Amino acid sequence: MKRLLAAGISALIGVVLLFAAAGELIKHNMPPYLDSIGDDNYIEKITGLYLVEQSAKRDSNIIIYGSSELRTLNISTHPANFFRGQRNGIQVNLVGRGSCQSLIHAINIAATGDALTGKKVMLITSPQSYVRDGIAPDLFMANFSEQQYLTLMLDDSIPDHIKQYISGRVAELTGRYNDITGSSMHKYDAVGAMTEIASNNSLTADVLNIIMRPYYRFSKWLFDLRDLIASKKLIENVAEKSQGMQKAGSGTGIDWESELRAAVSEAEKMTDNNEFGMLNDYYTTYIGRKLNQQKNKHKDLSYSVSKEYDDLEILLEICKLKGIEPLFVHVPLHGEWSDYTGFTKEQREQYYQNVRDIVGRYENVTMIDLTGYEYEKYFLCDVMHLGWKGWLEVDKAIERCYREN
């Protein structure tokens, strides 16, 4: 029995040393980080840590945490297009995709240690996120990072109440996902064990947490290794695609009036099949012949109560804790379309004010309140996502923030 135990321990030590050697080898051979990685919303930035941390080290980089609005790269005023080639010395870094809501970003930012402290960060919130139950379980699982969750939970500088809140939400959404799909996601791994223990505020839970800590750290280490491998591959692929591409000049100034005229001209061409100023493809696909069916469809819709508000509060609390002073973009709904579908101005204003009230409690946050533009044509490109004029306002905020800092 003793020989078997010794052999088992020796084998475990051997595996650990092998993984450690592999990790050091990857770090030693890591190619230089490329700023152009910021121009696309790669999944490796959403669920990993290495690429965001490398971006944070660059003084030219402004990290934008958002969701589905970041995919509108067919619009020239989108920040990734507007500042491409580091126009005026600015490089944006997109982090997010559809359904990357406040909880996903809270976990991401909480896991970055002090990498983002004092750095330029922008947060964009989307109106459609504020339904009663907040983020849907399947969409949460699609963007959830085990690496980030384990990292923040092992960070002793993060207060217990934040860890307990995040763990409770992870446990809740994982449980709902498993109930819906009949799966056993995180039931038997480090994340599942950690969420169960973290949600139990007792002496027994504290003891179990200490006992399980080596297992948590080993699991995190494996995720860190996977992140390094994925990041290395992405950097190499981007470098290969970038060969022969010429970098744009830094520029000496921006004529905002000229940019606005160009944006409107582009918008007119891309929205000429409808009266709402929406992208032609979007209107054809989602509205078009169904227009009459949409009349008063949303008269019972409400964003007045939502778990997303609590998630937003935690996100902003984490930013304050980390010494981050984010620009917060408050996106409007499409006023004319909302009126048509029965989601009244009063109902919309309740949502707008809820967000203002939460953000207003944090002196470290600068709000870019765009809700006054809900009737501005071409401000959105569909019913909820920033369009030509909307992105231009965001570009102005980015340029102003960079210049002032």
Side-chain angles (χ1 to χ4, degrees), residues 131-134 165 169 172 305-311:
V131 292
R132 178 173 290 275
D133 290 331
Y165 178 87
R169 288 288 278 143
E172 173 199 352
V305 176
S306 174
K307 292 183 179 180
E308 183 71 16
Y309 292 118
D310 295 328
D311 293 344

Side-chain angles (χ1 to χ4, degrees), residues 19-31 37 44-45 47-54 57 147 220-236:
F19 275 116
E24 289 303 312
L25 183 63
I26 292 170
K27 287 180 183 178
H28 182 72
N29 291 286
M30 208 70 175
I37 287 172
E44 290 86 352
K45 291 187 287 183
T47 59
L49 284 171
Y50 179 81
L51 295 173
V52 171
E53 290 170 351
Q54 294 303 304
K57 293 177 181 179
Q147 177 196 17
K220 173 189 172 300
W221 183 41
L222 293 179
F223 284 121
D224 288 344
L225 184 61
R226 187 179 71 177
D227 180 32
L228 283 174
I229 294 170
S231 298
K232 181 175 184 293
K233 184 177 180 181
L234 175 62
I235 294 171
E236 290 170 345

Side-chain angles (χ1 to χ4, degrees), residues 240-261:
E240 186 176 345
K241 290 178 184 176
S242 301
Q243 282 185 355
M245 291 176 63
Q246 218 165 6
K247 185 176 175 180
S250 61
T252 56
I254 300 172
D255 182 344
W256 294 108
E257 288 300 321
S258 176
E259 295 292 347
L260 177 59
R261 289 193 296 271

Side-chain angles (χ1 to χ4, degrees), residues 129-334:
S129 301
Y130 293 86
V131 292
R132 178 173 290 275
D133 290 331
I135 189 169
D138 57 332
L139 301 177
F140 172 77
M141 297 308 302
N143 295 305
F144 173 64
S145 168
E146 294 95 339
Q147 177 196 17
Q148 293 169 9
Y149 173 71
L150 291 171
T151 300
L152 77 89
M153 291 298 290
L154 289 168
D155 184 348
D156 293 332
S157 70
I158 297 178
D160 288 343
H161 75 277
I162 290 179
K163 292 180 180 180
Q164 288 169 1
Y165 178 87
I166 290 176
S167 294
R169 288 288 278 143
V170 172
E172 173 199 352
L173 289 161
T174 303
R176 286 171 55 197
Y177 176 82
N178 288 337
D179 289 342
I180 292 168
T181 62
S183 58
S184 56
M185 184 72 74
H186 299 314
K187 279 192 175 180
Y188 309 108
D189 62 9
V191 171
M194 185 169 270
T195 56
E196 184 173 348
I197 292 171
S199 59
N200 185 358
N201 188 16
S202 67
L203 180 61
T204 303
D206 291 340
V207 173
L208 279 173
N209 197 39
I210 294 172
I211 294 171
M212 295 290 286
R213 208 166 178 88
Y215 173 51
Y216 298 152
R217 289 195 178 280
F218 181 69
S219 298
K220 173 189 172 300
W221 183 41
L222 293 179
F223 284 121
D224 288 344
L225 184 61
R226 187 179 71 177
D227 180 32
L228 283 174
I229 294 170
S231 298
K232 181 175 184 293
K233 184 177 180 181
L234 175 62
I235 294 171
E236 290 170 345
N237 289 341
V238 172
E240 186 176 345
K241 290 178 184 176
S242 301
Q243 282 185 355
M245 291 176 63
Q246 218 165 6
K247 185 176 175 180
S250 61
T252 56
I254 300 172
D255 182 344
W256 294 108
E257 288 300 321
S258 176
E259 295 292 347
L260 177 59
R261 289 193 296 271
V264 170
S265 177
E266 178 180 277
E268 288 172 345
K269 296 172 185 174
M270 298 175 73
T271 65
D272 59 8
N273 74 346
N274 66 92
E275 61 186 280
F276 294 101
M278 299 180 192
L279 282 163
N280 287 336
D281 289 347
Y282 179 91
Y283 185 82
T284 300
T285 303
Y286 299 104
I287 301 173
R289 286 176 291 182
K290 307 177 208 173
L291 178 61
N292 291 335
Q293 300 170 28
Q294 304 296 316
K295 183 70 173 175
N296 292 325
K297 181 181 179 181
H298 293 149
K299 60 183 176 62
D300 296 322
L301 182 64
S302 174
Y303 294 156
S304 61
V305 176
S306 174
K307 292 183 179 180
E308 183 71 16
Y309 292 118
D310 295 328
D311 293 344
L312 174 61
E313 187 98 46
I314 282 293
L315 170 59
L316 297 181
E317 188 169 346
I318 288 168
C319 287
K320 182 179 179 180
L321 175 72
K322 295 285 183 181
I324 301 168
E325 297 183 355
L327 295 174
F328 182 90
V329 181
H330 193 7
V331 179
L333 285 127
H334 192 299

